[in-house]
Amino acid sequence: MLVMDEAFDPHWGEAWTRAQVASSLTMPHTYALVVDSEGRIDRPADAREPAGFALIRSAPGEEELLLIGVRPRFRKRGLGRILLESFFTQARKKKADRVFLEMRANNPARSLYTSLGFEQIGHRPDYYRLSDGSRIDAITFGKSI
Ligand SMILES: CC(C)(COP(=O)(O)OP(=O)(O)OC[C@H]1O[C@@H](n2cnc3c(N)ncnc32)[C@H](O)[C@@H]1OP(=O)(O)O)[C@@H](O)C(=O)NCCC(=O)NCCS
């Protein structure tokens, strides 16, 4: 939640509450990866100084990135990429052959996702509602692993 509180601009309304995260992690197929400032991937309970996290849901043959965030002061050091590559490794271990994610249409993270091989597979107009009540499209990405 330390990362959640720092990483997500409230304007976009993307951050999850503690209750939402706790509830998702009680589901057997949802898990979190945490990266520390040195780029080490840990299970949340073992993390030293958490710098970023990814929340992931597994389904038969595919895995979905639900949320990824890195604290502003640790950005642009490759930690987001480390989290995504660890996500691919975990997905391969579970014999998934596809991974997915969805983001608001104007998210600059798009260039990170495409540099890792994600391709746009869907576009949902006016899908997300922002804190000021306006709406923004969602873009869905997929990647074979
Ligand atoms: C997206 C995010 C996790 C990337 O984390 P990171 O540790 O900075 O990622 P990396 O250092 O591995 O990669 C950085 C790349 O991400 C892209 N990027 C992501 N967000 C960016 C931003 N706000 N401004 C510029 N580039 C951005 C760039 O392509 C950048 O590449 P570059 O360093 O070659 O310019 C981080 O920016 C973040 O937490 N953003 C806010 C939360 C969010 O929007 N999450 C995604 C939707 S759930």
Side-chain angles (χ1 to χ4, degrees):
M1 291 313 293
L2 174 74
V3 177
M4 187 80 77
D5 292 343
E6 290 186 18
F8 292 90
D9 180 342
H11 175 67
W12 304 114
E14 291 167 333
W16 290 23
T17 63
R18 178 175 290 275
Q20 286 171 316
V21 174
S23 157
S24 76
L25 290 174
T26 62
M27 311 292 260
H29 301 299
T30 304
Y31 69 95
L33 296 169
V34 172
V35 68
D36 71 15
S37 55
E38 306 292 318
R40 290 177 291 234
I41 293 283
D42 264 321
R43 290 283 163 177
D46 302 325
R48 284 157 281 244
E49 187 180 17
F53 76 90
L55 196 59
I56 297 156
R57 179 165 56 206
S58 309
E62 60 185 55
E63 303 246 323
E64 183 185 0
L65 182 73
L66 298 174
L67 212 51
I68 183 170
V70 170
R71 294 164 72 186
R73 72 180 136 121
F74 297 118
R75 286 186 191 159
K76 300 275 198 164
R77 297 186 191 178
L79 299 180
R81 183 174 291 267
I82 287 171
L83 281 166
L84 287 162
E85 283 171 349
S86 177
F87 164 46
F88 303 154
T89 303
Q90 297 295 325
R92 286 189 196 102
K93 277 189 194 157
K94 292 182 193 159
K95 310 280 184 228
D97 50 23
R98 293 277 288 165
V99 290
F100 298 94
L101 65 85
E102 190 173 77
M103 57 162 228
R104 66 180 145 82
N106 64 351
N107 196 322
R110 176 183 203 120
S111 57
L112 176 61
Y113 300 146
T114 54
S115 77
L116 283 163
F118 279 98
E119 291 179 345
Q120 182 173 334
I121 55 170
H123 180 188
R124 295 170 163 162
D126 293 337
Y127 189 71
Y128 296 116
R129 191 154 60 85
L130 276 45
S131 61
D132 63 5
S134 62
R135 294 202 163 258
I136 191 164
D137 300 354
I139 308 288
T140 311
F141 289 91
K143 170 183 159 71
S144 298
I145 54 166

